[in-house]
Amino acid sequence: MLKIENLHARVAGKEILKGLTLAVNAGEVHAIMGPNGAGKSTLGNVLAGRPGYEVTAGSVEFNGVNILELPPEERAAAGVFLALQYPVEIPGVNNTYFLRTALNAQRKARGENELDSMAFLKTVREKLKIMQISDDLLKRAVNEGFSGGEKKRNEIFQMALLEPKLAILDETDSGLDIDALKQVSQGVNALRSPERSFLVITHYQRLLDYITPDFVHVLADGKIVESGDRTLALKLEEHGYAWVKEHEAGVVGEPA
Amino acid sequence: MSSAATRSPFVESQLAAPASPLPGAGVPWLDAARREHLAAFAEAGLPTKHVEAWKYTALRALAQRKFSTGDAQAAARAIDASAFALPGVDGPVLAFVNGVFRADLSQLAQLPDGLELRPMSQALREDPEPLRFTLSRYEPEKGDVFVRLNAALAGDGVLLKVVAGAKVAAPVHLLFIGAPAEGDVAWHLRHVIELGEGSELSLVEHHAASGDQRHLGTTCTDIVLREGAVLHHAAFQDAAPGAALIRRTKLHLGARSHATVHVVELGAALARHDLQAELVGNEARFDTRGVFLLHAKQHGDTQLAIRQQALNTTTDSVWRGVADERARGVFRGAVLVEPGADGSDCNVQNKNLLLSEQAEIDTKPELVIYADEVKAVHGATVGQLDERALFYLQSRGIPQAQARGVLTAAFCRTVLDDLPNAELRAYLGDRLVAQLPA
Amino acid sequence: MSSETNDSTATVLRDNAEVAEVLGRQYSAGFITQIETTGLPPGLNEETIRQLSAIKHEPEWMTEWRLSAYRHWLTMEEPKWAHLKLEPQDYQKISYYSAPKKKPKSLDEVDPAILDTYDKLGVPLHERAALAGVAVDAVFDSVSVVTTFRKQLADAGVLFCSMSSAIRDYPELVQKYLGSVVPPGDNFYAALNSAVFSDGSFVFIPKGVRCPMELSTYFRINAQNTGQFERTLIVAEAGSHVSYLEGCTAPKRDENQLHAAVVELVALEKAEIKYSTVQNWYPGDENGKGGVYNIVTKRGECRGDDSKITWTQVETGSAITWKYPSVILRGDRSVGEFHSVAVTHHYQQADTGTKMVHIGKDTKSKIISKGISAGKSNNSYRGLVEVKKSAAGARNYTSCDSLLIGKKCGAHTFPYMEVKNPTAVVEHEATTSKISDDQMFYCRSRGIREEDAVSMIVDGFCKQVFRELPMEFAVEAKKLMEVSLQGAIG
């Protein structure tokens, strides 16, 4: 489904991704872990097409299409969704209106029928239930005045509604208390399906207690330096990222 | 605009021959420039309130007054220099009395390396040629007749240069003293200051009085910061209660230069200050902090005008005004972001307190923006102290009157917070508090 | 006898999704109506004014009032302080009166071409088709062609008619209030208007009456080389309440047309007037050719204690907009509000804002201004908050935000604050920025096209003001804004 080959990317002239390679198949959940500054968020933003992130080499194929050529909205329509680490406030724009516009824009781009307001509201109510979100959130402006937890839940709610093929969660766990973390994880788990893949970017192992990944990758200095199953995450938790750096530099062997 | 018949007494009085010959008189190009400026001044007359820049500052009363053109006795007047020392300001001193340089009150021995400092009068007498371009050129701006008058009659001032790379540690004290004379005197000073590439300078501009008088002083200051230069400029205006002081300070900021200007306005009956900055080099930065504290029938008018003309320039301006009794405070904070000046960031914040039924505040923050990659913010308020803060202090046992005093002092002092010279900061803060109503 | 030269779809005042969908993404009110008109030849002198007054069968006092305004105007000069590039006008080249030839006595007699025009503009005048609960005074060039629901309103005691009828039918009211808020010599354009105004609306809400429906005037300039100088006067007696809407369109013409109106509002004790404008005069083409010069003096006076006047405006049209709807807060505890959205694109210029003059005690004012500049346009907010010595306890809050779309436009803010009372609190805050990159990316990452994202964000930016408009107008305003900003990005 997603094939990233030797990806190099720069932000503000500084090279952040330095040859990242990764393949994700349909239905898989991949966790990307790594220390601060390793390039985790850059990866998410590059995949979603955020302006300012300049790809200098490599390729990203999504279902056979080179998505690096596409503007962000076309990537979204193709099924790529990025849950932002810092969701953006858009004052005065009603959340429901925003979602309906987004959903219909995507449907239209895919040649599907646009939903009328009745059908849309019906879908919204279903998803709200899954996400355990009160519909009060819908009446407010997009993310405006939302608490940190509300913003993150709103991201997952958007994901539920837009039903992407590939969901990239950029540190969705950061700034969440344990209850919010559970809610967000439940939402994500409810959306897992054989057709949908996840890229879960996180600094901490604890999110993976709730969202069980099929694979765990360690990203350091712009490259994937270690891949494994979920036990890799536990190893990281135990030894810290310092171990990765040493390990990578070949200073020490794998701890017993 | 004004013919001989309609000239105001003020304009007429300034057309008289100077009390003593102006330095540089007889130099043909300078004579010509002075004549031209004086003619333009006479032609224009004083601006009325229909000129936007003078909308809130009426010059009707000034127009009816007469001033002698300079003080012939300025060099001889007895002055106690020690009375004007400022804490934390212990570098070279250049002192002027009623617009005339006084070597006896100055301290120019052993100037720090890289600092060139001397009076304009000396340069004009010894070797005026290098000043030809500076003193001949004139960029007219609407309502700038005082600049014309200054150009026509200024015979003295400060010539200061910091050579490239020099970092002058001790603050330079520019001292302008008004002293009682036989009548009302008009004096004019012209300052030319240049900071070379990568140089640093700390400057204290100090207007003071050695006794009560009702003189008119005008100053025109041009400050150029070359690439990477850093300037700390503190202006302390403590002129005589009857004086009229009209100043224009114009800064020209090159790439990556940084000027910080602190202004404290306490004195004068009429204090007008045009503070202008042009940010012509990329990544230049200009910060201003200022306060005026007015009482009796004082009239204070600060006109801040900033032009951001290059990429990624930043300006930040925080101003406070307090008007008590029958005083009137005027503030204009204008920022112009020119086409192509992307990455400009500007902020102007002006807060004012009105303490009396008879006082007035007029404020006008302005933004004129022609580039889209900008962050421009301004805010202005006129009002009273924060009631919640007042209550908080009272709830801790501080009597209301005292609480008001504390808060008003804090309101004013905030503009001094980032003045790096701690001794000067403490002194100016105390002077502000001393002028607050008891 | 009548045919349309342009069949583009009319804008709608209703929240009619279907019509809204087909709304042409261009200035859609630009068609010309072919009807026979009668009028005065271009030119202005005392004789023109006497003729104008005679055509309208005005009483002697009205003619004299006009003439004295004209004589005063001759002594005045066009103001130059606005941030506008305005070609000097040749006032002798303008025709000061143009009216449909047939003078209708009732709706049935109105030229079908005119009825059709208003239908196309989405303002049907037949009461059976009219907007529910909105009475309309339709002004076509210099005259009011019809006023709907007059009878129903009269039953409630509300007087709503053209200014011409009011001068004939209610001379004592007109004499008492006309020029009492905007004196004939107030400014150059007000003086000109006082001399030559042709028609406009007159509203009188008697004591204690809550006007049973929204009142509205729809202005249409049709004839060529004709200036429109309308005059509106709204008087709300003690304890009364009225909401008034105003809409404006004009055909696409290469020449600039002058629209110099005066609007006066008087609110007596505890009365409330809400005045909303959706201004969509022809803005000129993308090269700055043509368009209406919209130069308007609008002022309300809260004459009585506890009265309130609210101005809400959405300005999307006109080549030049010069207007400052103001409130004189004379009554104690009176309230003035100004909510404005001004959009400029291509070569449009707007210099607009408000004046809030606090005279009474504990008076309050609020100013919310949103400016959006695109293309090569210039958009200025100019405002004055003045607190007189007498205005103890006065409060003002002003918020001005500007959005820039593109590199060649300008957004400017000129607020004046003059405070003479120490118990007043006056606050002003302003920001200028472009649409944030983060907001754009966020919308696009959810699948929304760039252009749609812009209009969504701009709509959100203006929400605070749109909320103040009656529902139908809010929908209209939003559509107009989208049309106005068409092609602004990329």
Side-chain angles (χ1 to χ4, degrees), chain B residues 56 67 94 107 134 224 242 254 279 295 308 363-364 375 429:
Chain B
Y56 296 115
F67 296 87
L94 204 60
Q107 176 47 261
T134 309
V224 175
L279 288 83
H295 62 110
Q308 297 185 226
T363 172
K364 189 181 158 209
K375 270 202 329 234

Side-chain angles (χ1 to χ4, degrees), chain A residues 48 50 71-73 76 81-82 88-93 97-98 101-102 105-106 143 155 158 162, chain C residues 436-439 441-450 452 456-461 463 478 482:
Chain A
R50 189 168 199 148
E73 57 268 35
F81 178 89
L82 171 68
V88 179
E89 298 188 5
I90 311 182
V93 175
Y97 174 66
F98 174 75
T101 307
Q106 291 199 22
N143 292 321
E155 293 291 285
Q158 289 181 12
L162 298 171
Chain C
S436 100
D437 292 338
D438 285 347
Q439 288 179 348
F441 170 68
Y442 194 64
C443 292
R444 295 177 71 191
S445 79
R446 297 299 178 255
I448 299 168
R449 284 170 49 232
E450 210 171 351
D452 295 335
M456 182 182 272
I457 293 166
V458 169
D459 179 47
F461 175 75
K463 197 52 132 260
K478 188 174 164 221
E482 281 171 17

Side-chain angles (χ1 to χ4, degrees), chain B residues 24-40:
Chain B
V27 176
W29 59 261
L30 188 55
D31 286 347
R34 283 172 170 165
R35 266 198 310 274
E36 186 195 323
H37 288 305
L38 195 64

Side-chain angles (χ1 to χ4, degrees), chain B residues 195 223-229 251-259 278-285 310 313:
Chain B
L195 278 73
I223 303 178
V224 175
L225 281 80
R226 305 282 177 209
E227 189 170 336
L251 294 100
H252 184 89
L253 288 95
R256 285 177 297 287
S257 66
H258 182 183
E278 295 172 342
L279 288 83
V280 297
N282 295 343
E283 291 166 53
R285 183 179 174 109
T313 60

